[in-house]
Amino acid sequence: MRASWDARRSRDRRHAERPESREPLERRERIQVTRRQRGERLQAALYRIAERANDAGSMDDFYRAVHDTVGDLINARNCYIALVSEDGQALEFPYYVDEQGGKGISRRMGPGLTEYVLRTRKPLLVSRAEADELIAQGVFQTA
């Protein structure tokens, strides 16, 4: 056991003499801290949404609270909440905020981005360029 302790101390001394050798470890630690902080922020956001869901306020108030909470995590200047109709044939938009003043208009299900997210059952955050690439690949279409 003494030999492994001496080897570890010797290795630590070498790292202390070469600060550049510590950089990868320090970088990994920063990444871990950043991930933990991001996870804590996400968990706090989910708790806030759950609390609002239990409030007796209106659905409009709830949707605004969800939007505000998402906006604390990511850029959410444009945001909508889409619901699938009971018969599964249409999308309804009870909450829709667009910087350009667009409106959320109910529509039949089709090959759009919202339908793609519903089909894949995975969240999707894409840039305009990424969306254009997915459109070019035929993954979804826009109106």
Side-chain angles (χ1 to χ4, degrees):
M1 188 66 165
R2 177 83 179 150
S4 67
W5 174 253
D6 289 339
R8 201 174 316 143
R9 252 186 23 205
S10 175
R11 183 192 69 218
D12 291 345
R13 219 175 300 136
R14 285 193 310 271
H15 281 285
E17 294 166 5
R18 299 180 317 184
E20 71 279 358
S21 66
R22 288 191 315 249
E23 192 277 328
L25 177 61
E26 291 170 356
R27 184 173 182 274
R28 284 193 303 266
E29 289 172 349
R30 281 193 311 268
I31 290 170
Q32 287 174 346
V33 167
T34 300
R35 284 183 181 155
R36 187 181 74 244
Q37 289 171 337
R38 187 179 307 136
E40 290 169 356
R41 283 194 342 259
L42 179 59
Q43 186 174 25
L46 293 173
Y47 282 132
R48 284 195 308 271
I49 291 170
E51 286 173 0
R52 288 304 301 244
N54 290 322
D55 286 350
S58 72
M59 288 306 292
D60 288 338
D61 291 341
F62 174 69
Y63 295 148
R64 271 191 292 282
V66 169
H67 183 187
D68 291 343
T69 301
V70 170
D72 290 342
L73 299 172
I74 62 173
N75 174 356
R77 292 185 309 249
N78 299 307
C79 179
Y80 65 87
I81 295 174
L83 302 176
V84 178
S85 64
E86 285 195 31
D87 66 3
Q89 300 300 308
L91 285 176
E92 299 165 2
F93 298 89
Y95 183 82
Y96 196 96
V97 174
D98 185 315
E99 287 181 302
Q100 306 300 318
K103 302 280 185 218
I105 300 170
S106 296
R107 66 172 192 247
R108 307 250 347 123
M109 294 287 269
L113 177 58
T114 301
E115 293 89 341
Y116 171 75
V117 171
L118 290 170
R119 277 193 314 274
T120 62
R121 296 181 177 263
K122 294 181 184 176
L124 181 65
L125 178 64
V126 295
S127 68
R128 172 83 283 181
E130 291 166 329
D132 290 342
E133 179 62 29
L134 291 170
I135 291 167
Q137 293 173 8
V139 173
F140 64 86
Q141 298 173 4
T142 58

Short mmCIF file of all heavy atoms in Angstrom, two decimals, residues 52-76:
data_model
loop_
_atom_site.label_atom_id
_atom_site.label_comp_id
_atom_site.label_asym_id
_atom_site.label_seq_id
_atom_site.Cartn_x
_atom_site.Cartn_y
_atom_site.Cartn_z
N ARG A 52 -47.27 25.71 -10.61
CA ARG A 52 -48.29 26.48 -11.33
C ARG A 52 -49.43 25.58 -11.80
O ARG A 52 -50.58 26.00 -11.86
CB ARG A 52 -47.68 27.22 -12.53
CG ARG A 52 -46.80 28.39 -12.19
CD ARG A 52 -47.55 29.40 -11.32
NE ARG A 52 -48.74 29.92 -11.95
CZ ARG A 52 -48.95 31.16 -12.30
NH1 ARG A 52 -48.03 32.06 -12.07
NH2 ARG A 52 -50.07 31.53 -12.87
N ALA A 53 -49.12 24.35 -12.16
CA ALA A 53 -50.16 23.42 -12.60
C ALA A 53 -51.15 23.13 -11.48
O ALA A 53 -52.32 22.86 -11.73
CB ALA A 53 -49.54 22.12 -13.10
N ASN A 54 -50.68 23.22 -10.25
CA ASN A 54 -51.55 22.96 -9.09
C ASN A 54 -52.29 24.21 -8.62
O ASN A 54 -53.17 24.11 -7.77
CB ASN A 54 -50.75 22.36 -7.94
CG ASN A 54 -50.29 20.96 -8.26
OD1 ASN A 54 -51.01 20.19 -8.87
ND2 ASN A 54 -49.08 20.64 -7.86
N ASP A 55 -51.92 25.37 -9.14
CA ASP A 55 -52.62 26.61 -8.77
C ASP A 55 -54.02 26.59 -9.38
O ASP A 55 -54.29 25.90 -10.36
CB ASP A 55 -51.88 27.85 -9.29
CG ASP A 55 -50.62 28.15 -8.50
OD1 ASP A 55 -50.43 27.52 -7.44
OD2 ASP A 55 -49.84 29.01 -8.93
N ALA A 56 -54.88 27.41 -8.84
CA ALA A 56 -56.26 27.46 -9.33
C ALA A 56 -56.45 28.52 -10.41
O ALA A 56 -57.57 28.84 -10.77
CB ALA A 56 -57.21 27.74 -8.16
N GLY A 57 -55.36 29.05 -10.96
CA GLY A 57 -55.46 30.09 -11.98
C GLY A 57 -55.98 29.56 -13.30
O GLY A 57 -56.24 28.37 -13.49
N SER A 58 -56.11 30.47 -14.24
CA SER A 58 -56.61 30.10 -15.57
C SER A 58 -55.53 29.38 -16.38
O SER A 58 -54.34 29.46 -16.06
CB SER A 58 -57.05 31.36 -16.32
OG SER A 58 -55.93 32.11 -16.71
N MET A 59 -55.94 28.71 -17.43
CA MET A 59 -55.00 28.04 -18.32
C MET A 59 -54.10 29.07 -19.01
O MET A 59 -52.91 28.81 -19.20
CB MET A 59 -55.73 27.18 -19.35
CG MET A 59 -56.36 25.93 -18.77
SD MET A 59 -55.20 24.87 -17.86
CE MET A 59 -54.14 24.29 -19.16
N ASP A 60 -54.65 30.24 -19.36
CA ASP A 60 -53.83 31.28 -19.98
C ASP A 60 -52.70 31.69 -19.05
O ASP A 60 -51.56 31.88 -19.49
CB ASP A 60 -54.68 32.50 -20.35
CG ASP A 60 -55.60 32.24 -21.53
OD1 ASP A 60 -55.31 31.32 -22.32
OD2 ASP A 60 -56.60 32.97 -21.67
N ASP A 61 -53.00 31.84 -17.76
CA ASP A 61 -51.97 32.18 -16.77
C ASP A 61 -50.92 31.07 -16.68
O ASP A 61 -49.72 31.33 -16.60
CB ASP A 61 -52.58 32.42 -15.39
CG ASP A 61 -53.41 33.68 -15.33
OD1 ASP A 61 -53.24 34.56 -16.22
OD2 ASP A 61 -54.23 33.79 -14.40
N PHE A 62 -51.39 29.83 -16.72
CA PHE A 62 -50.46 28.70 -16.67
C PHE A 62 -49.54 28.69 -17.89
O PHE A 62 -48.33 28.52 -17.77
CB PHE A 62 -51.24 27.38 -16.58
CG PHE A 62 -50.36 26.17 -16.68
CD1 PHE A 62 -49.48 25.83 -15.66
CD2 PHE A 62 -50.40 25.36 -17.81
CE1 PHE A 62 -48.65 24.72 -15.76
CE2 PHE A 62 -49.59 24.24 -17.91
CZ PHE A 62 -48.71 23.92 -16.88
N TYR A 63 -50.12 28.88 -19.08
CA TYR A 63 -49.30 28.89 -20.30
C TYR A 63 -48.27 30.00 -20.26
O TYR A 63 -47.11 29.81 -20.65
CB TYR A 63 -50.19 29.03 -21.54
CG TYR A 63 -51.12 27.86 -21.79
CD1 TYR A 63 -52.36 28.07 -22.38
CD2 TYR A 63 -50.77 26.55 -21.46
CE1 TYR A 63 -53.22 27.01 -22.64
CE2 TYR A 63 -51.63 25.49 -21.69
CZ TYR A 63 -52.85 25.73 -22.28
OH TYR A 63 -53.70 24.68 -22.53
N ARG A 64 -48.67 31.19 -19.79
CA ARG A 64 -47.71 32.30 -19.67
C ARG A 64 -46.59 31.95 -18.69
O ARG A 64 -45.43 32.25 -18.92
CB ARG A 64 -48.42 33.57 -19.23
CG ARG A 64 -48.94 34.41 -20.39
CD ARG A 64 -49.39 35.80 -19.93
NE ARG A 64 -50.58 35.75 -19.09
CZ ARG A 64 -51.82 35.59 -19.55
NH1 ARG A 64 -52.02 35.48 -20.86
NH2 ARG A 64 -52.85 35.56 -18.73
N ALA A 65 -46.94 31.30 -17.59
CA ALA A 65 -45.94 30.90 -16.60
C ALA A 65 -44.97 29.88 -17.19
O ALA A 65 -43.76 29.95 -16.94
CB ALA A 65 -46.62 30.33 -15.35
N VAL A 66 -45.49 28.93 -17.97
CA VAL A 66 -44.61 27.96 -18.63
C VAL A 66 -43.66 28.69 -19.58
O VAL A 66 -42.45 28.43 -19.59
CB VAL A 66 -45.44 26.88 -19.39
CG1 VAL A 66 -44.54 26.04 -20.29
CG2 VAL A 66 -46.20 26.00 -18.40
N HIS A 67 -44.19 29.61 -20.37
CA HIS A 67 -43.37 30.39 -21.30
C HIS A 67 -42.28 31.15 -20.54
O HIS A 67 -41.11 31.13 -20.92
CB HIS A 67 -44.25 31.34 -22.10
CG HIS A 67 -43.51 32.12 -23.14
ND1 HIS A 67 -44.10 33.13 -23.85
CD2 HIS A 67 -42.23 32.08 -23.58
CE1 HIS A 67 -43.22 33.65 -24.68
NE2 HIS A 67 -42.08 33.03 -24.53
N ASP A 68 -42.65 31.81 -19.46
CA ASP A 68 -41.66 32.55 -18.66
C ASP A 68 -40.58 31.63 -18.12
O ASP A 68 -39.39 31.96 -18.13
CB ASP A 68 -42.34 33.29 -17.50
CG ASP A 68 -43.21 34.44 -17.96
OD1 ASP A 68 -43.06 34.89 -19.12
OD2 ASP A 68 -44.06 34.89 -17.15
N THR A 69 -40.99 30.47 -17.66
CA THR A 69 -40.03 29.51 -17.09
C THR A 69 -39.09 28.98 -18.17
O THR A 69 -37.89 28.90 -17.96
CB THR A 69 -40.79 28.35 -16.40
OG1 THR A 69 -41.63 28.90 -15.38
CG2 THR A 69 -39.82 27.37 -15.78
N VAL A 70 -39.64 28.65 -19.33
CA VAL A 70 -38.79 28.19 -20.44
C VAL A 70 -37.84 29.32 -20.83
O VAL A 70 -36.65 29.08 -21.09
CB VAL A 70 -39.65 27.74 -21.64
CG1 VAL A 70 -38.79 27.51 -22.88
CG2 VAL A 70 -40.43 26.48 -21.29
N GLY A 71 -38.34 30.56 -20.82
CA GLY A 71 -37.50 31.71 -21.15
C GLY A 71 -36.35 31.92 -20.18
O GLY A 71 -35.34 32.52 -20.54
N ASP A 72 -36.48 31.41 -18.95
CA ASP A 72 -35.37 31.47 -18.00
C ASP A 72 -34.27 30.50 -18.37
O ASP A 72 -33.12 30.65 -17.95
CB ASP A 72 -35.86 31.16 -16.58
CG ASP A 72 -36.74 32.25 -16.00
OD1 ASP A 72 -36.71 33.39 -16.52
OD2 ASP A 72 -37.47 31.96 -15.02
N LEU A 73 -34.60 29.48 -19.16
CA LEU A 73 -33.63 28.44 -19.52
C LEU A 73 -33.00 28.66 -20.89
O LEU A 73 -31.82 28.42 -21.09
CB LEU A 73 -34.31 27.07 -19.50
CG LEU A 73 -34.88 26.63 -18.16
CD1 LEU A 73 -35.70 25.35 -18.33
CD2 LEU A 73 -33.77 26.42 -17.15
N ILE A 74 -33.84 29.08 -21.84
CA ILE A 74 -33.37 29.28 -23.22
C ILE A 74 -34.04 30.51 -23.80
O ILE A 74 -35.00 31.03 -23.24
CB ILE A 74 -33.68 28.06 -24.13
CG1 ILE A 74 -35.19 27.83 -24.22
CG2 ILE A 74 -32.96 26.82 -23.65
CD1 ILE A 74 -35.61 26.77 -25.24
N ASN A 75 -33.59 30.95 -24.96
CA ASN A 75 -34.24 32.04 -25.67
C ASN A 75 -35.61 31.54 -26.13
O ASN A 75 -35.70 30.63 -26.95
CB ASN A 75 -33.39 32.46 -26.88
CG ASN A 75 -34.08 33.48 -27.75
OD1 ASN A 75 -35.23 33.84 -27.52
ND2 ASN A 75 -33.37 33.95 -28.75
N ALA A 76 -36.65 32.13 -25.56
CA ALA A 76 -38.01 31.69 -25.89
C ALA A 76 -38.88 32.89 -26.26
O ALA A 76 -40.03 32.96 -25.87
CB ALA A 76 -38.60 30.92 -24.72
#
